[in-house]
Amino acid sequence: MDKKFNQKLKIMAPVKRISVIIFYLLIARLSFSQNKIVVFQSDFGLKDGAVSAMKGVAMGVSSDLKLFDLTHEIPAYNIWEAAYRLQQTVPYWPAGTVFVSVVDPGVGTDRKSVVLKTSTGQFIVTPDNGTLTLIAESLGIAEIREIDEAVNRRKDSEKSYTFHGRDVYAYTGARLAAGAISYEQVGPELPKKVVSISYQRAAVDGKKLKGAIAILDIQYGNIWTNITGDLFKQLNVGFGKLLHVVIYHNAKKVYEGDMPYSQTFGAVAKGKPLAYLNSLLQLSFALNQGSFAETYHIASGNEWSVEVRAGE
C-alpha cells in the first residue's frame, strides 16, 4: 500500500477502514492464487487433437490465459513418470501457477479428481492416482480439495466419461487460473494425504547407498537415480575414483559393474560408462555418447532400484 492510500485510511471511520483493509487483503490473496498461467502434462501425445481440445476449453474460459506445455510424451498410463515430471518441473514455476496433469488410466472410475496446493503456492489439477506421490513429498501439501463436478465441469459434458482431461481438469484449471473461481470454490477440502506409489527411498545402508531409478534422461539413455548429491558425499568418492553399481528390476539383478565418478562425459572414452551428478544434482549413470538404458536394457520407475558403493 502506498503513502496516499495510507493517508486515506487514516481519515476514514474505523469500521470503513477495516472493511477496506479486508478487501485489499482478499484481493492480494486472490492474486497470489491465480496468475493466469496454466501448464499442461499428459500421456496423450500430439498425434491427434486431444491436447488442442484441452487448450481450447481453457481459452474458452478466458482468452487472457497463458498456456504452456510440460510434456505430452509421458508413456501411456505411466503414472510414475507423470509424478516424476511434476517433481522435476513444478519448483521452477512461480506461486499461483496451475498445472493440469492428465495421466488417468482409471478415467471414469471412483478415483478422486483433486486440486493440490503445494506449500510453495502452485496448484496441481489431476486424478489422485499416484501422480501426486513425489510432489507431495518434495514440496509439501498446503491443502487438497476434491473437484465438485456439479459446478466445475464443462457445460453439457455430463454424458462424456472418458475425457475428464478436457471436461473436468482443463476446465477447472482454467477457471482457477483465470480467477473465475477461488481455490475454495474448487470443492470440499480433503485430508492432507494422497494416493502414494511405493518405491525405494534414497538411503544409506552400511557402506552402500540404496535408491530408485527415478527416470531416464530419455534423449540420451542416461540413468537418473533419486540419490542426492548430499547423500552421495557420504561415500567420500572423489572424481576419477571407481563406483560399484548394481541395478535391480523387481529385486532381480540386471546390471553390475564398475565405473568412475566423473565431472563430465568426456572424462571417459567414447562408449565407456561413468557416474556423475545430473542437472538436479542426483547421482546418474551414462555411456559417453551412447545409451546406457538401451545397451543394458534398463528402464525407470518404482520397480527399479540401485545399490552403489565405493569401488575396490
Side-chain angles (χ1 to χ4, degrees):
M1 300 180 184
D2 58 24
K3 291 182 179 179
K4 290 183 178 179
F5 181 77
N6 285 333
Q7 289 172 353
K8 289 179 180 178
L9 279 180
K10 289 178 181 179
I11 62 175
M12 288 181 183
V15 173
K16 187 175 182 182
R17 187 186 309 158
I18 291 170
S19 299
V20 171
I21 291 172
I22 291 173
F23 173 77
Y24 276 94
L25 286 174
L26 289 172
I27 291 296
R29 182 179 179 184
L30 192 62
S31 64
F32 173 79
S33 299
Q34 298 140 331
N35 64 8
K36 300 186 184 301
I37 298 174
V38 184
V39 183
F40 290 93
Q41 168 175 275
S42 76
D43 59 349
F44 297 163
L46 297 172
K47 297 181 182 67
D48 64 15
V51 171
S52 184
M54 287 198 300
K55 291 182 176 180
V57 167
M59 293 303 286
V61 170
S62 172
S63 59
D64 292 332
L65 291 173
K66 293 164 281 186
L67 308 183
F68 300 90
D69 295 309
L70 193 164
T71 181
H72 296 289
E73 300 303 326
I74 300 290
Y77 319 122
N78 194 323
I79 296 169
W80 172 266
E81 188 157 328
Y84 184 88
R85 295 305 179 194
L86 287 174
Q87 181 190 45
Q88 179 186 21
T89 308
V90 171
Y92 298 100
W93 288 80
T97 300
V98 175
F99 288 80
V100 175
S101 180
V102 190
V103 178
D104 192 15
V107 61
T109 66
D110 60 358
R111 87 286 178 268
K112 286 184 170 64
S113 297
V114 302
V115 182
L116 180 146
K117 181 179 180 180
T118 70
S119 294
T120 49
Q122 299 92 349
F123 299 86
I124 303 169
V125 185
T126 186
D128 184 18
N129 59 4
T131 296
L132 296 167
T133 298
L134 299 176
I135 208 72
E137 294 176 4
S138 60
L139 293 186
I141 302 171
E143 198 173 337
I144 306 175
R145 290 185 174 271
E146 185 172 6
I147 297 173
D148 180 358
E149 293 187 21
V151 179
N152 295 307
R153 186 182 177 110
R154 188 176 63 87
K155 185 179 179 182
D156 298 327
S157 68
E158 293 79 11
K159 295 181 180 180
S160 174
Y161 301 104
T162 60
F163 200 175
H164 285 182
R166 175 195 65 194
D167 300 330
V168 178
Y169 301 137
Y171 182 70
T172 301
R175 279 161 59 80
L176 181 61
I181 57 171
S182 67
Y183 182 51
E184 290 71 21
Q185 291 173 310
V186 165
E189 185 173 0
L190 298 172
K192 293 181 182 180
K193 185 178 181 180
V194 298
V195 173
S196 184
I197 301 171
S198 63
Y199 67 97
Q200 174 62 61
R201 267 74 172 172
V204 179
D205 183 6
K207 293 184 178 180
K208 62 187 176 185
L209 303 178
K210 290 184 174 181
I213 305 297
I215 206 74
L216 301 182
D217 186 3
I218 196 67
Q219 181 69 12
Y220 304 104
N222 301 336
I223 308 297
W224 286 14
T225 79
N226 63 341
I227 298 172
T228 65
D230 287 339
L231 195 62
F232 176 66
K233 285 179 183 178
Q234 297 190 36
L235 289 186
N236 197 28
V237 175
F239 290 127
K241 300 299 182 180
L242 288 180
L243 289 178
H244 187 73
V245 177
V246 185
I247 296 175
Y248 301 90
H249 181 240
N250 288 325
K252 181 181 178 181
K253 186 190 299 183
V254 296
Y255 171 86
E256 183 171 10
D258 295 319
M259 62 189 73
Y261 172 50
S262 304
Q263 192 169 20
T264 63
F265 301 108
V268 302
K270 184 177 178 180
K272 295 296 182 180
L274 67 139
Y276 68 103
L277 294 184
N278 65 19
S279 58
L280 300 178
L281 302 181
Q282 294 166 324
L283 185 64
S284 303
F285 315 118
L287 296 182
N288 184 19
Q289 298 182 51
S291 173
F292 197 110
E294 184 177 332
T295 300
Y296 297 108
H297 309 290
I298 294 170
S300 62
N302 62 310
E303 70 272 21
W304 289 84
S305 60
V306 61
E307 294 180 356
V308 182
R309 61 173 172 80
E312 300 298 332

